[in-house]
Each structure stands twice: as structure tokens, then as C-alpha cells.
Amino acid sequence: MPQTEIDEKELVRLLQDEKTRRDAFNKIVKLYQKRLYWQIRKMVASHDDTDDILQNAFIKAWCNIDKFRGESSLMTWLYRIATNETLDFLSSAHSRHSAQNTDVNDVLATEVHGDVYFDGDEAQRKLQKAIMQLPEKQRLVFNLRYYDEMPYQQMSEILGTSEGALKASYHHAVKKLEELVLAV
């Protein structure tokens, strides 16, 4: 059995004990913080928004730790929480920008161009800008599959969508990205 599975089972055991819960949760934060940060960041582009969403995701995880039943891995559970927080944030952003007659995807694409934390070359910036123009679900599936190399089965557990639908979303995202990158 791989070491991470043993560590995760031990963390779950420690989470279930009131005396060790806080230390175990701190370990979880350290273990998954960076991965979740980048998952969120690829969806919202803004460093500050990403930090806020990540903090909210960890707060939600802490408040609901008693509800974790171990039916999925801790990583899958945390990804699901972070994904839902991200989609809630984007939904709110869509509402705010609809009232202002602006498209949130255009705003996100613009943020990529002005992001002081972005350290890629112009081709990478062009790709990121195109990714931000994808519909949310396609952007999420593309990022999880392309950047995180996540298997469709795990994505299915996180997103509650069939593997076939996820494969179709990824395929459509790749086709749209090809069109967007070539058009820019």
C-alpha cells in the first residue's frame, strides 16, 4: 500500500478523535493547500480571490469534518469542497457582472494579462487567456485533466458527473481552445 494511503487513513483516524483533530487538520491543510490553491487559481485567475476561496474551502471543511464518512479520499473530499466554493464564487461574479453588462469570462481573461504573479511566456499567457474564456465546466474539466492529470474516475467522484460526460467536456474544451488560441 502506498505511503500516502497509510498517512491518509491515519489522518482520518486522528480527525475522528477530538484530542488530535486540530493537529490532524493542520496537517491536512499543509498537505493539500498548494494543490487546492492551483486548482482554484486556474479557475479564477486572481491571486487574492484564490486565497479567499481557499480559506473559505478550508473553513467549510473544518466545520463539516464530522460529516466526512471516508467514502472517498480526503483529497477528493477537499477538491469537491474547493470546487463548489469556486463555482459559487464564479456564480456570484456572473451575477455581479450581468448587472453591469459585462462577461465574467472576459474579465477573467483580462486578469490573466495583468496578473503580476503570472510568470509564463507569451504563449502560456495566450493559452491561459483562452482557458479563461471556456465555460466554467469545460474550464474545470480541462484544468483537472490537462494540468493535474486527474483520472476521469476521480473527476467523476469530485464533480458528480459521469466519466463519459467528462470526456466529452474535455474534448469540447480542447477543440474550443484550439479555435481560441489560433484566433488570437
Side-chain angles (χ1 to χ4, degrees):
M1 192 177 294
Q3 183 67 29
T4 55
E5 288 183 35
I6 295 168
D7 290 345
E8 186 164 296
K9 286 180 182 180
E10 178 65 11
L11 281 172
V12 170
R13 188 188 66 71
L14 293 170
L15 284 170
Q16 293 168 343
D17 183 346
E18 289 285 332
K19 296 176 207 155
T20 57
R21 180 174 288 169
R22 185 173 300 277
D23 287 338
F25 192 78
N26 286 336
K27 288 179 185 176
I28 288 169
V29 170
K30 288 178 185 165
L31 190 61
Y32 296 111
Q33 182 174 348
K34 189 173 182 179
R35 288 177 77 177
L36 292 173
Y37 172 89
W38 286 109
Q39 178 212 357
I40 296 165
R41 180 73 185 271
K42 287 179 247 170
M43 290 295 292
V44 299
S46 162
H47 169 73
D48 293 335
D49 290 339
T50 300
D51 277 347
D52 291 345
I53 295 166
L54 181 62
Q55 182 177 6
N56 289 342
F58 279 124
I59 289 169
K60 190 165 273 187
W62 173 255
C63 291
N64 291 290
I65 203 71
D66 288 333
K67 295 178 184 174
F68 178 71
R69 297 181 304 269
E71 294 171 359
S72 63
S73 69
L74 274 171
M75 186 190 81
T76 299
W77 185 67
L78 290 169
Y79 259 79
R80 187 178 305 125
I81 293 170
T83 297
N84 289 337
E85 286 296 307
T86 303
L87 293 175
D88 287 349
F89 171 84
L90 290 171
S91 178
S92 293
H94 279 292
S95 296
R96 284 191 310 273
H97 289 287
S98 291
Q100 300 168 353
N101 289 329
T102 58
D103 182 4
V104 73
N105 290 351
D106 290 339
V107 171
L108 292 172
T110 302
E111 285 184 14
V112 168
H113 192 68
D115 186 358
V116 295
Y117 297 102
F118 186 83
D119 63 356
D121 62 15
E122 193 54 38
Q124 290 169 324
R125 188 178 302 275
K126 192 175 186 181
L127 175 61
Q128 289 305 310
K129 197 171 180 181
I131 290 170
M132 288 300 174
Q133 293 177 26
L134 291 173
E136 290 167 13
K137 181 78 171 211
Q138 287 179 10
R139 183 168 62 231
L140 180 59
V141 171
F142 179 83
N143 286 331
L144 290 173
R145 183 72 181 156
Y146 183 79
Y147 289 109
D148 296 342
E149 299 177 350
M150 188 176 287
Y152 288 110
Q153 180 182 357
Q154 189 175 9
M155 276 194 274
S156 178
E157 291 174 24
I158 292 169
L159 302 175
T161 305
S162 73
E163 289 181 43
L166 293 169
K167 290 176 183 178
S169 287
Y170 182 76
H171 173 76
H172 291 301
V174 169
K175 290 293 180 197
K176 283 183 184 175
L177 286 174
E178 286 174 357
E179 293 170 13
L180 289 168
V181 168
L182 293 174
V184 176

